[in-house]
Amino acid sequence: MFSTADFLQYTQWSGIATLVFAVLAVLSFVFKWGIRFRLVGTTGFMLVLTSGLFGLSVVPLSRTVIPGAEKFTLVYDNGATQAVIAISPTISPSALEATLRQAASNLYTYGRLGKRGDNYLMVRARTVVHPEPGVSVPLYLGQLKQSLDSRENAEITVEIYTDKFAQLPKPTA
């Protein structure tokens, strides 16, 4: 995967190419070349390409990796303060905490809007258990609340429902 430094270098090269095409476009109008309008289009395309590469060089593309976190699937996200992830029923409590932190880190954006007095992102983790054939029941194993005010001053509260782990199916070996 490309890093932001790679995109910055590509932006510089694309910027140089854009300037070259702009000079060629000006020269084509001065000397009335037949491809002058194509050069204007090429210059415009290079401007768009350069600005896109610049945007990718500013915004970090990598996600934070939390050691011990397991794979999860985003089930529900209202885009503001609530999200639900699905996890494996074989997860341990320590892995659940790491997975909740991973999900909160991945889902946190400055565009999330909180309500007055409730400016927290709540990520809940659930799995599906089958107490009898043909019956599926969602089982919430934990939740994380993170402040939406600032990522650096993150107030994070993690709750693991240890009593719910007793309802999980026992692994058969």
Side-chain angles (χ1 to χ4, degrees):
M1 185 170 182
F2 297 116
S3 69
T4 54
D6 293 336
F7 281 115
L8 185 60
Q9 184 178 9
Y10 301 149
T11 302
Q12 292 170 349
W13 285 105
S14 181
I16 292 169
T18 303
L19 291 176
V20 168
F21 278 112
V23 168
L24 282 173
V26 169
L27 287 175
S28 70
F29 274 96
V30 170
F31 294 117
K32 300 202 187 294
W33 295 343
I35 63 166
R36 61 183 174 250
F37 296 109
R38 290 181 185 158
L39 287 172
V40 169
T42 305
T43 304
F45 172 75
M46 290 302 297
L47 278 169
V48 170
L49 183 67
T50 303
S51 63
L53 287 171
F54 176 72
L56 289 172
S57 70
V58 173
V59 177
L61 298 174
S62 61
R63 298 193 181 271
T64 306
V65 177
I66 307 286
E70 292 188 8
K71 293 174 75 173
F72 64 90
T73 304
L74 183 64
V75 176
Y76 172 76
D77 187 357
N78 69 355
T81 59
Q82 296 180 6
V84 177
I85 61 171
I87 54 174
S88 169
T90 60
I91 196 166
S92 68
S94 61
L96 175 61
E97 181 175 351
T99 303
L100 282 168
R101 290 182 185 274
Q102 177 78 48
S105 175
N106 290 353
L107 294 172
Y108 180 89
T109 63
Y110 291 108
R112 288 191 176 270
L113 300 173
K115 298 179 273 186
R116 186 181 307 235
D118 185 24
N119 201 21
Y120 290 94
L121 169 65
M122 183 186 317
V123 180
R124 299 177 73 193
R126 73 151 173 85
T127 189
V128 177
V129 294
H130 308 283
E132 57 186 64
V135 177
S136 298
V137 178
L139 182 65
Y140 287 92
L141 298 176
Q143 71 179 15
L144 177 140
K145 284 181 87 171
Q146 178 179 2
S147 173
L148 288 173
D149 291 334
S150 172
R151 179 172 241 168
E152 290 77 29
N153 187 17
E155 301 170 22
I156 298 176
T157 307
V158 179
E159 291 180 54
I160 306 294
Y161 309 138
T162 53
D163 57 325
K164 301 289 185 177
F165 277 88
Q167 297 177 20
L168 291 176
K170 303 296 182 241
T172 57

